[in-house]
Amino acid sequence: MTNLNNTPGDNPHRTPDTRLRMRVGFEIEYECPNPTPMLLSLNIHHSRASDLVRPDILVTSPAIPISAYRDLFGNWCSRIVAPAGRLVLRTDALVNDSGLPDVVAPWVEQTPVEYLPESALVYLLGSRYCETDLLSNIAWQQFGAGPTGWARVQAICDFVHQRIEFGYHHARRTRTAWEAFNEGRGVCRDYAHLAIALCRCMNIPARYCTGYLGDIRIAPIPGPMDFAGWFEAYLGDRWYTFDARNNTPRIGRVLMARGRDACDVALTSTFGLNTLQRFTVWADEVAMG
């Protein structure tokens, strides 16, 4: 009897193992003059649950009661009442990842509106930060005569990537897609909002995504680490990831929440006076030990 034990390197045609592990998490500190109710969208999306080596358990200091719920978009959320004074929110998770870049599928066609699944229809409509009514004529003038399907979404990403100048000093939490188009500056959420609005104007469902996106297997990008915003477009029979800010496939994207726009996936929604004192995010590749 012969035992054949395969080890790495035995098969010259073996597909390289691209898997990686990431440490992701945050620490956010608030100061509240009075007890303040908060809604939190700070957990990793349930679609990544099987990848969690160490779960992203939300820890508070001081320790306070936390209740969990699923919102209308299926995101894992939490409810707390922040005590008067200092409150620190923290998670620190280990996540396995395929190590593969975002899928690129240039052959995928656009699905006619009448054949879209009902669950996708809400992502054709205007929303708080994505004013399709204001951008519709611009979208059709810019993209109406061009290709459809994947190529149309990529053309929108190219346009937004060129249109907006990135800068953390440009951040403004009230900026809409229409304002980003006219001001020509913003941060990742502004790129996503404008691209989403233009896709919807062209009858392509698009939804906002937030999560972790570290500088995984690329040259470090200058600037502080932050949560990232990107979007998904419905083409063919599924959702695909697009990123108008970076405009290139990336590795190590960890989804936290999806919604119509950033209003639906706010990291924290506070119902009372508060001051954000500190905000730190990490998303780093670590050894697979």
Side-chain angles (χ1 to χ4, degrees):
M1 181 174 67
T2 301
N3 291 322
L4 180 62
N5 297 313
N6 289 324
T7 58
D10 288 344
N11 184 351
H13 302 294
R14 178 188 295 272
T15 301
D17 188 353
T18 60
R19 292 174 299 172
L20 60 87
R21 180 168 295 171
M22 292 176 290
R23 179 188 175 201
V24 301
F26 62 84
E27 192 163 280
I28 303 173
E29 180 179 344
Y30 282 100
E31 186 76 26
C32 301
N34 301 295
T36 304
M38 293 186 178
L39 304 180
L40 313 175
S41 295
L42 290 168
N43 284 106
I44 294 171
H45 196 263
H46 64 83
S47 61
R48 298 300 301 268
S50 62
D51 297 322
L52 293 176
V53 179
R54 183 173 69 214
D56 59 331
I57 296 172
L58 180 62
V59 178
T60 68
S61 178
I64 58 173
I66 303 173
S67 60
Y69 69 98
R70 285 279 188 97
D71 69 9
L72 295 175
F73 301 95
N75 304 312
W76 281 345
C77 303
S78 303
R79 298 178 68 177
I80 63 171
V81 177
R86 174 178 176 270
L87 173 69
V88 176
L89 307 171
R90 192 178 196 275
T91 67
D92 191 21
L94 290 177
V95 186
N96 284 339
D97 190 79
S98 69
L100 298 173
D102 301 325
V103 172
V104 176
W107 58 85
V108 178
E109 298 180 354
Q110 186 169 331
T111 305
V113 172
E114 59 269 31
Y115 296 121
L116 288 169
E118 292 178 0
S119 60
L121 296 180
V122 68
Y123 300 107
L124 286 174
L125 308 178
S127 57
R128 165 68 178 86
Y129 290 108
C130 300
E131 311 102 318
T132 52
D133 52 344
L134 297 178
L135 287 160
S136 182
N137 288 340
I138 293 168
W140 281 98
Q141 291 168 10
Q142 189 72 32
F143 308 107
T148 61
W150 183 280
R152 174 171 279 171
V153 180
Q154 185 57 58
I156 289 171
C157 288
D158 294 341
F159 174 82
V160 173
H161 186 75
Q162 298 275 342
R163 180 85 183 183
I164 298 179
E165 174 191 333
F166 181 85
Y168 289 108
H169 57 290
H170 296 322
R172 189 176 77 239
R173 62 184 179 84
T174 59
R175 183 182 289 115
T176 67
W178 173 248
E179 291 169 336
F181 173 81
N182 286 291
E183 294 173 16
R185 59 181 182 267
V187 292
C188 57
R189 63 176 265 163
D190 301 307
Y191 287 77
H193 283 150
L194 181 53
I196 288 168
L198 294 172
C199 282
R200 293 176 184 172
C201 290
M202 303 308 298
N203 301 331
I204 300 171
R207 61 190 184 186
Y208 186 90
C209 300
T210 187
Y212 297 97
L213 182 60
D215 301 340
I216 307 297
R217 299 184 180 176
I218 63 170
I221 297 175
M225 179 63 194
D226 198 352
F227 292 109
W230 62 89
F231 76 102
E232 294 174 343
Y234 192 90
L235 296 168
D237 61 356
R238 56 162 285 191
W239 293 94
Y240 290 91
T241 295
F242 290 88
D243 186 342
R245 155 72 176 104
N246 295 290
N247 208 26
T248 188
R250 291 285 296 272
I251 294 171
R253 213 180 282 274
V254 181
L255 178 69
M256 294 172 66
R258 299 184 179 109
R260 291 167 298 180
D261 56 35
C263 187
D264 291 330
V265 297
L267 299 171
T268 62
S269 298
T270 57
F271 300 87
L273 294 174
N274 65 89
T275 302
L276 177 63
Q277 300 282 27
R278 186 163 49 89
F279 183 91
T280 306
V281 180
W282 53 89
D284 304 303
E285 184 175 0
V286 297
M288 289 286 288

